[in-house]
Amino acid sequence: MTVVDRGARPLGPAEPVRPVHVLRAAGVSLVVAAAVDGLPEVLHWGRDVGQIADTDADDVVMALGRPVSPSAFDEPWPLTVLPTERDGWEGRPGIAGHVDGAPLVPRWRDARVASDGMELVVTAHSDVLALRSVFALDGAGVLRVRHAVTGRGDVPVHLQALEATLPVGERVAEVLDLGGRWTRERTPQRRALTAGSHARESRRGRTGHDAPTLLALGTPGFDDAAGEVWAVHLAWSADAVHRIDLLAEARPLLGAGELLRAGEVVLGRGETFTTPDAVFVWSDEGLDGVSARFHDSLRARPGHPRRPRPVVLNTWEAVYYRQELAPLVALAETAADIGVERFVLDDGWFLGRRSDSTSLGDWRVDPAVWPDGLRPLVDRVRELGMEFGLWFEPEMVSPVSELAVAHPEWLLQRPDDDVRTWRNQYVLDMANPDARAFVLEAMSAVIGEHHVEFVKWDQNRDVVHAVHDGRAGLDAHTRGVYALMDELRARHPWLEIEACASGGARVDLGVLKRTDRVWPSDTNDALERLPVQRWTEVLLPLELIGSHVGPEVSHTTGRHLDLDFRMAVSLFGSAGIETDVTTLTPVELDRIRAWTALYRRERGLLHTGRLRHLDLGDPGLATTSVVATDRSRALVRVARTATGPQSLAVPLRLRGLDRTRRYRLAPVAGIGVPHGLDMVPPQWIERGFLELPGAVLEDVGARLPMLAPGTAIVLECSALD
């Protein structure tokens, strides 16, 4: 054995014990060791290790202490909560920038760590910055991390990066995140974890149709039900960085932060920049375990929607820009008759808006279309027992509009700088208080006059070349958008808001702090919607995901789909309708009426239960279940997206039931049972029900019928005792 002599070190007084701080909740632990000098280090984030006694703290630190490896720094170095080169870290830095041209590599002093078991706060300062970092673990085991830095020198600090990072288990081997495009959002992509520093950058100016949504690292072969997974999501609605570092000298590192443009954040003395929350989740029950923590955390929020999510009818795919009172009243009357509870008038109601080429910013009811204003329609909607909702696109301005002519200085993107239009529109600078106040007053006037209960808040373009006060302005603009939403809701506390961004380009926990649901995609093609909604569900519970029954022929794909299939897909969400129901036959209206009754009956379960995605061994099936918290009931949707590899359908094996109880499994009332491709269907389907112990339903299952592509069956499973 070769011994490397690094020189004898004189013995001196024993170094003080570094105290260990532990946050614990819902089977998760975060273990942080305070440093003798500099910032603390995360020793563990993952499965709960229990409370660590003060007498064990030194040995815990020693157990995970870094040795000195060959061809490396001569002393052990810490992987701190904000790693930089000064610590010895050679991956992507946690903080970066410059001070008068010199690189920003702070030497942190007087670091302090305080914790109460659920929140840990780190404070420190350097010559030019003061730091405050908060690690908050909630009752669902979800960890939120944010950093704030404040200028404390005479020379401004140009901040280029401030990102939250945490180490993960060394057994991680695979990476999962999402991509996509318009009408095909949140498409999963999976790959092997490889060495190096890897950053996924989003530069859309909004969350983006191709947003990662989350970045997950998992143990080999992790799936929906099994494996350890560490994931991060950035609660932010603009440019972002999701990052992985796998270096030979350190544990794997996972993190996220806002992507800052050059010159965007410059801190003088006393000025503070606070990061968006990086939301970290660990699970030892695969991706569904990650989802369960996100969902439990969101449902525990004080502002989470509590009242039943209403059946919505949105007029967009029924009338588009062709707005007239009589057809819309007829649409409302039919909607109310089939069980709709909220009627939403989409784009086209305001001054001169006959297409997407004009009028954004002119938020006044168009007298050419509505000579008596919106009151006749609103009154009739309310007489029918429905709420009234309205579409806005508050952040945008059309070049052909009164607003653009009157206030060209309010544009975030200057047309005279050759900035391209997108859908014939530019972006208003929401960091400009005058622009924000104008939009607030215009929206408030309409919302207040008609007591509008619901706003579909759209945002239909990527934000590029954003300039505020002569420098990169996306951060200030995005915070201005948040402020506008907050101010609007403060004025109208009854108001609910849906976050839409040409479909699903703004699905994140930053916007959901101030909204009540998201529109996950502009496609109402149910086959396309299945994967979009499934991967939206990795972050959000069903009650936050708008899901509408579209027309028989999808306007985004041209595909014909059966009504029962469209209803089965839309049932699992915050359900609604987006088609001209006045053109449906009496039989079709009866079917939708039965479906809205089913949704109203089951939304309590759908919007509180545990969501699971079931791999039945057939790649042509998409199977989703929601199990009640007391395991007394479950709803299951099995959808056929493509033909399967075998002529015999697979059994349905459920997860999450009480194995000791007996259950009755039967098709739900409200959605028809498809005929299927079997010459003779399974006997229990013909009989209409099956009664078995939970253990049998989990381990053996019940044979499904052979569904045709583009059909689905929805089953209810109810405990018999």
Side-chain angles (χ1 to χ4, degrees):
M1 182 175 69
T2 302
V3 177
V4 179
D5 182 6
R6 299 189 177 276
R9 298 183 181 180
L11 296 175
E15 292 185 350
V17 173
R18 293 190 293 173
V20 170
H21 298 261
V22 182
L23 304 184
R24 301 175 60 211
V28 177
S29 284
L30 179 76
V31 182
V32 177
V36 174
D37 182 33
L39 297 180
E41 180 174 8
V42 173
L43 300 181
H44 169 76
W45 165 48
R47 182 177 285 110
D48 189 4
V49 297
Q51 193 59 48
I52 296 174
D54 291 342
T55 53
D56 292 332
D58 198 26
D59 279 0
V60 168
V61 174
M62 190 179 299
L64 294 174
R66 176 186 300 279
V68 176
S69 54
S71 188
F73 292 108
D74 293 330
E75 295 180 353
W77 55 272
L79 182 58
T80 73
V81 295
L82 203 60
T84 66
E85 294 175 53
R86 188 178 295 280
D87 305 313
W89 172 247
E90 295 173 283
R92 182 182 175 94
I95 184 170
H98 70 88
V99 184
D100 200 20
L104 177 65
V105 189
R107 180 176 180 180
W108 301 109
R109 296 186 296 274
D110 297 327
R112 300 286 186 267
V113 182
S115 66
D116 61 5
M118 295 297 288
E119 184 174 273
L120 182 144
V121 179
V122 177
T123 57
H125 68 264
S126 71
D127 291 339
V128 296
L129 287 174
L131 171 70
R132 187 176 192 271
S133 300
V134 178
F135 299 75
L137 187 67
D138 68 20
V142 173
L143 180 67
R144 287 171 170 80
V145 180
R146 62 184 174 274
H147 300 300
V149 289
T150 303
R152 63 187 308 265
D154 295 328
V155 181
V157 176
H158 292 250
L159 193 65
Q160 293 174 336
L162 185 59
E163 297 167 4
T165 61
L166 286 176
V168 304
E170 279 87 349
R171 292 198 308 118
V172 292
E174 298 179 53
V175 183
L176 174 76
D177 63 1
L178 309 179
R181 60 167 172 82
W182 179 69
T183 69
R184 198 178 175 87
E185 295 88 344
R186 282 168 293 289
T187 302
Q189 50 189 17
R190 189 163 175 159
R191 58 200 179 276
L193 175 63
T194 55
S197 294
H198 304 274
R200 169 90 183 270
E201 295 187 349
S202 301
R203 294 177 177 267
R204 302 285 187 178
R206 53 181 177 174
T207 321
H209 293 105
D210 62 344
T213 305
L214 56 73
L215 179 61
L217 295 175
T219 51
F222 75 90
D223 58 20
D224 289 330
E228 277 194 277
V229 181
W230 291 259
V232 64
H233 165 85
L234 190 68
W236 181 241
S237 305
D239 291 353
V241 175
H242 291 75
R243 52 175 287 177
I244 300 167
D245 296 88
L246 181 61
L247 305 186
E249 305 88 358
R251 289 173 289 166
L253 206 65
L254 179 68
E258 181 182 350
L259 190 155
L260 300 175
R261 306 299 179 100
E264 188 163 14
V265 177
V266 181
L267 300 175
R269 182 184 291 273
E271 295 179 322
T272 298
F273 174 78
T274 301
T275 65
D277 283 0
V279 187
F280 292 89
V281 175
W282 168 85
S283 163
D284 60 355
E285 297 180 347
L287 290 169
D288 282 351
V290 169
S291 299
R293 293 193 186 279
F294 275 125
H295 299 178
D296 288 348
S297 177
L298 288 165
R299 286 170 171 168
R301 299 174 300 163
H304 191 75
R306 303 294 174 198
R307 68 185 182 95
R309 299 294 79 206
V311 181
V312 174
L313 184 135
N314 182 284
T315 65
W316 178 243
E317 292 191 36
V319 301
Y320 296 99
Y321 294 108
R322 303 183 304 274
Q323 294 195 1
E324 297 177 48
L325 177 60
L328 284 166
V329 166
L331 189 65
E333 290 171 346
T334 303
D337 180 64
I338 59 176
V340 169
E341 298 162 305
R342 175 181 285 164
F343 184 90
V344 180
L345 184 65
D346 209 288
D347 195 355
W349 58 269
F350 52 98
L351 195 64
R353 184 70 166 178
R354 304 283 76 76
S355 71
D356 68 359
S357 63
T358 183
S359 302
L360 291 175
D362 298 340
W363 302 113
R364 305 192 306 279
V365 177
D366 191 342
V369 176
W370 301 99
D372 299 315
L374 292 178
R375 179 61 59 191
L377 176 63
V378 174
D379 287 348
R380 183 59 180 142
V381 166
R382 295 256 166 71
E383 288 170 2
L384 292 165
M386 296 183 291
E387 297 177 357
F388 182 75
L390 203 56
W391 180 96
F392 286 89
E393 193 169 0
E395 302 148 64
M396 299 296 159
V397 59
S398 301
V400 182
S401 66
E402 292 181 359
L403 179 60
V405 172
H407 292 287
E409 75 280 8
W410 287 358
L411 271 63
L412 184 65
Q413 305 156 308
R414 301 299 297 269
D416 57 6
D417 204 16
D418 294 329
V419 177
R420 301 172 189 270
T421 55
W422 177 309
R423 207 179 174 200
N424 305 297
Q425 62 195 56
Y426 290 110
V427 185
L428 283 174
D429 183 0
M430 289 292 103
N432 183 316
D434 293 332
R436 193 166 68 243
F438 173 86
V439 175
L440 175 64
E441 295 301 329
M443 295 181 70
S444 290
V446 179
I447 292 168
E449 179 183 356
H450 301 291
H451 197 79
V452 174
E453 287 99 345
F454 175 85
V455 163
K456 179 180 178 180
W457 185 303
D458 213 340
Q459 196 272 36
N460 275 310
R461 65 158 294 163
D462 286 354
V463 183
V464 298
H465 203 164
V467 178
H468 172 74
D469 282 350
R471 68 188 195 198
L474 185 60
D475 173 86
H477 166 77
T478 305
R479 295 175 193 267
V481 172
Y482 288 168
L484 177 59
M485 289 181 171
D486 293 341
E487 291 161 5
L488 190 70
R489 294 192 72 156
R491 285 196 182 188
H492 311 286
W494 66 84
L495 185 67
E496 291 193 0
I497 298 176
E498 175 184 62
C500 175
S502 46
R506 192 147 66 185
V507 174
D508 64 79
L509 298 185
V511 77
L512 266 165
K513 188 175 180 180
R514 15 192 81 79
T515 57
D516 301 276
R517 75 172 195 167
V518 300
W519 185 237
S521 181
D522 271 346
T523 184
N524 277 319
D525 180 315
L527 272 175
E528 298 286 308
R529 268 297 184 116
L530 276 170
V532 169
Q533 292 187 187
R534 184 266 171 272
W535 291 103
T536 304
E537 292 158 10
V538 77
L539 179 67
L540 305 181
L542 297 181
E543 64 268 24
L544 299 181
I545 303 172
S547 181
H548 292 178
V549 177
E552 179 183 358
V553 180
S554 167
H555 86 144
T556 58
T557 65
R559 179 161 33 208
H560 292 247
L561 288 170
D562 178 74
L563 178 58
D564 281 321
F565 183 71
R566 287 177 275 144
M567 293 190 299
V569 171
S570 297
L571 178 68
F572 283 62
S574 179
I577 301 166
E578 195 156 342
T579 188
D580 186 354
V581 292
T582 65
T583 65
L584 300 183
T585 67
V587 171
E588 289 171 326
L589 291 173
D590 283 343
R591 290 162 70 187
I592 291 187
R593 192 176 291 108
W595 171 78
T596 60
L598 168 65
Y599 171 74
R600 292 196 303 271
R601 185 171 69 246
E602 299 294 353
R603 59 189 165 191
L605 168 60
L606 289 166
H607 299 164
T608 62
R610 172 77 179 268
L611 192 64
R612 287 178 168 85
H613 301 92
L614 309 178
D615 182 357
L616 303 182
D618 183 337
L621 291 179
T623 306
T624 302
S625 73
V626 181
V627 182
T629 54
D630 63 0
R631 296 187 290 178
S632 62
R633 297 189 66 242
L635 280 182
V636 188
R637 181 190 61 207
V638 183
R640 172 65 70 182
T641 61
T643 57
Q646 296 178 297
S647 57
L648 182 66
V650 296
L652 171 65
R653 294 173 58 192
L654 300 175
R655 283 194 287 121
L657 302 179
D658 185 333
R659 295 175 61 83
T660 65
R661 301 171 78 175
R662 288 181 61 81
Y663 291 87
R664 180 186 179 94
L665 185 68
V668 297
I671 295 180
V673 178
H675 182 268
L677 300 178
D678 295 308
M679 300 302 293
V680 178
Q683 289 184 3
W684 75 272
I685 292 290
E686 289 196 305
R687 185 176 69 172
F689 69 93
L690 195 65
E691 294 181 357
L692 286 171
V696 175
L697 286 171
E698 286 202 352
D699 294 340
V700 179
R703 184 76 61 186
L704 289 166
M706 180 57 74
L707 301 173
T711 64
I713 186 170
V714 180
L715 305 166
E716 57 181 332
C717 188
S718 303
L720 294 172
D721 55 349

